[in-house]
Amino acid sequence: MIFGKHINRYYLRYAGWLILGLLAGCGNSGSDDSGLKTVESGKLIMSTNAAFPPYEMTTDDGGFAGIDVEIAQAIADKLGLELEIDDMDFDAALLAVQQGKSDIVMAGVSVTEKRLLVMDFSDSYATGVQVVIVKEGSDVTMDNLGEKMIGTQRGTTGYLYASDTPENGGYGEDHVTAYENGMTAVQALINGQVDCVIIDKAPALEYVASNPGLTILEGNWVEEQYAIGFGKGNTALKDAVNQALAELIADGTVQGIIDKYIKAN
C-alpha cells in the first residue's frame, strides 16, 4: 500500500492490534469437481456492500452492477461456478468471509496488515485512491483536517486511518464520525454535521456529480491496492481465483470492466 504524505507513520502499527477471535463456518461447505472448497457446492458466494459505486451498486430491478460485480462474474465463469451475491454492511461483508459464510469478499477492499492477520487476499486488481469531499468554498484543506470533523464509512481504511491517534498519523476518534455507508456520510456533509468526507475517489466522483455544491480537494489522501478477500487458509480457492484473475488481466477483461465504469479524465 502506498500512502499519501498525510498518512505516513501508522500502517505498520496495525500488526500489533488485538484481533477478535473468529470462528470458521462449517456444515454446508462443499467441493466441486475441481476440488475447490466453497461454502455451497457449485457456487461462488460473494459478500459485498452494494453502496459503493462504481465498484458495487444495486440496479433498478433489484440486481447488482459494478466493477467488482463484473470481475467476480468473470472469475466465476472461468471456475465453472455460479456467482451468488450477498449484500450487507461493509463490516459484515468482511466478517462473512472470515466466518465461512461467503467464499470471497469484494467491496473495494484494500489490503492492510490488520486484515492480513485474519484473511487471505488475492493479487491486486485495481488501485484505490482516497480523497476528501468538501462543500464548495469550504476552508477545509489537506493540512487542517485534524481541526475539522470528518465523516467516513464505518469499517473502511479511511475510518481506521483517520480515527487513529495523531502520534500514528491520524486525527483522533474525536474528529471522526463513522456512518453506515458513503452516501450517508455525504448527506451528513450536506447537512452540516461534518466538515468533510474521506472516501475512495471513484464513488466520490459519483457523489459530487449528483450533489451540486460539493467538490473534491486537490490531491490524494491515500493510495492503496484493492484485492479479493478469502477465509484464512483456503489456499486452493485463492490460487484458482488468482489464476483466473491473471488471465482476465492479461486478456484485457479487467481493464475493460474498469474503463466501462471509470472514464479517463
Side-chain angles (χ1 to χ4, degrees):
M1 181 183 298
I2 303 171
F3 294 94
K5 63 181 179 180
H6 302 281
I7 307 294
N8 55 13
R9 294 191 298 276
Y10 50 85
Y11 173 60
L12 295 178
R13 303 271 182 135
Y14 289 132
W17 288 13
L18 291 174
I19 304 299
L20 294 175
L22 298 171
L23 297 175
C26 59
N28 294 323
S29 63
S31 299
D32 63 11
D33 292 339
S34 65
L36 294 180
K37 180 182 178 183
T38 56
V39 173
E40 189 173 339
S41 182
K43 290 187 176 181
L44 183 69
I45 300 177
M46 165 185 161
S47 55
T48 192
N49 174 226
F52 192 65
Y55 285 89
E56 36 269 316
M57 48 204 165
T58 55
T59 59
D60 292 339
D61 63 0
F64 300 96
I67 293 171
D68 286 346
V69 173
E70 291 200 23
I71 291 176
Q73 184 63 66
I75 290 171
D77 290 344
K78 276 192 171 289
L79 299 181
L81 298 173
E82 176 189 350
L83 179 65
E84 180 176 306
I85 298 176
D86 284 347
D87 183 23
M88 58 193 76
D89 290 343
F90 184 78
D91 278 348
L94 296 178
L95 285 172
V97 79
Q98 295 171 49
Q99 296 174 337
K101 297 177 181 177
S102 68
D103 300 303
I104 62 174
V105 55
M106 294 181 73
V109 180
S110 55
V111 182
T112 68
E113 288 200 354
K114 181 185 177 184
R115 288 174 182 165
L116 282 168
L117 293 175
V118 293
M119 298 167 60
D120 289 336
F121 284 94
S122 71
D123 297 330
S124 174
Y125 62 88
T127 299
V129 175
Q130 292 196 41
V131 296
V132 181
I133 304 176
V134 298
K135 289 183 177 179
E136 292 179 350
S138 168
D139 65 351
V140 176
T141 69
M142 286 289 192
D143 294 321
N144 69 6
L145 288 174
E147 304 168 11
K148 306 298 181 179
M149 280 303 301
I150 302 165
T152 65
Q153 180 179 351
R154 181 175 293 110
T156 62
T157 50
Y159 170 74
L160 294 174
Y161 302 156
S163 63
D164 205 349
T165 64
E167 292 78 13
N168 288 338
Y171 310 115
E173 291 185 357
D174 291 345
H175 287 277
V176 181
T177 301
Y179 296 92
E180 289 301 318
N181 53 57
M183 186 181 305
T184 307
V186 170
Q187 190 60 53
L189 171 61
I190 294 171
N191 294 341
Q193 296 168 283
V194 294
D195 299 306
C196 62
V197 170
I198 293 175
I199 195 168
D200 290 65
K201 185 176 182 179
L205 291 170
E206 300 267 350
Y207 293 136
V208 168
S210 58
N211 292 280
L214 299 183
T215 188
I216 297 173
L217 290 182
E218 183 177 353
N220 299 335
W221 189 70
V222 168
E223 293 183 14
E224 52 197 357
Q225 298 301 310
Y226 288 163
I228 303 166
F230 304 86
K232 201 73 175 172
N234 196 350
T235 305
L237 181 60
K238 183 184 76 170
D239 289 349
V241 167
N242 267 336
Q243 178 61 40
L245 185 60
E247 294 172 3
L248 292 166
I249 290 173
D251 68 15
T253 298
V254 168
Q255 191 60 52
I257 293 171
I258 293 172
D259 291 344
K260 173 182 174 180
Y261 289 94
I262 302 178
K263 307 299 181 184
N265 293 330

